[in-house]
Amino acid sequence: MDARAVLLDAFDAFVCEVGFVVGEGARTVGVSGWTVGAARTVPWGEQKVTLHARSARSGRSWEVRLEVRTSFVVVADVPFEVSFVTCADLLDPAWPPCWHLYDRNALGICRALRRSFRAALLPFLDATSTPGGLVRWMLGEYAPMRLLSASPVRPVERALLVASLLPAGEQVDAVVALHALVDRAREWLARGSSVG
């Protein structure tokens, strides 16, 4: 069995253990890489785990990484989805941004991906599986900077939308705390972008 097949089998096994389902059409193959995804339903939304692989510059290996996404459907004027995406190295810098997969190291890479999923990504998914959990996680130290986003302000603004899904008694405190976090993130950006 080649390295890709070993990795796909391992991915299917470790995501299915925690309730994710690899759906029809969840695998895409392109010229320079491939992806496979799995999803599970959560209250008000869905969570996804995606395994990305792209050909390394040398052409002799694949660069592989896992990415997770928690999404909620929010109703304003019309229903729309807001998502929060991260990967193991953003949650814990001890993890590498990607692994290099060769035929000879496939089992070791499978074990490393499984460990990163269990140690970093699954705790994020479990913590953010409800609107209240996502808001609590977002209020944690440096949380907005642990998400894939062009700005740490954007995820907090999306979390404000998710706060509308909370019970009425919890919404006010969540919105106040998230607005304060938006202000802090904007101050941080202003300090970081000032030339002096």
Side-chain angles (χ1 to χ4, degrees), residues 22-46:
V22 178
E24 293 297 318
R27 295 175 191 218
T28 58
V29 178
V31 174
S32 61
W34 46 271
T35 63
V36 60
R40 70 180 179 188
T41 302
V42 296
W44 297 95
E46 179 180 65

Side-chain angles (χ1 to χ4, degrees), residues 94-154:
W95 293 106
C98 68
W99 285 269
H100 290 272
L101 176 69
Y102 300 89
D103 282 338
R104 67 180 180 274
N105 72 346
L107 293 176
I109 296 301
C110 291
R111 286 191 292 272
L113 285 169
R114 181 186 179 98
R115 281 193 309 273
S116 75
F117 179 73
R118 287 279 183 183
L121 300 173
L122 190 56
F124 167 81
L125 290 167
D126 289 343
T128 62
S129 64
T130 64
L134 181 277
V135 169
R136 282 188 296 280
W137 185 87
M138 186 64 68
L139 293 171
E141 190 171 10
Y142 302 115
M145 291 180 247
R146 294 180 181 169
L147 297 170
L148 289 171
S149 179
S151 161
V153 175
R154 288 186 183 150

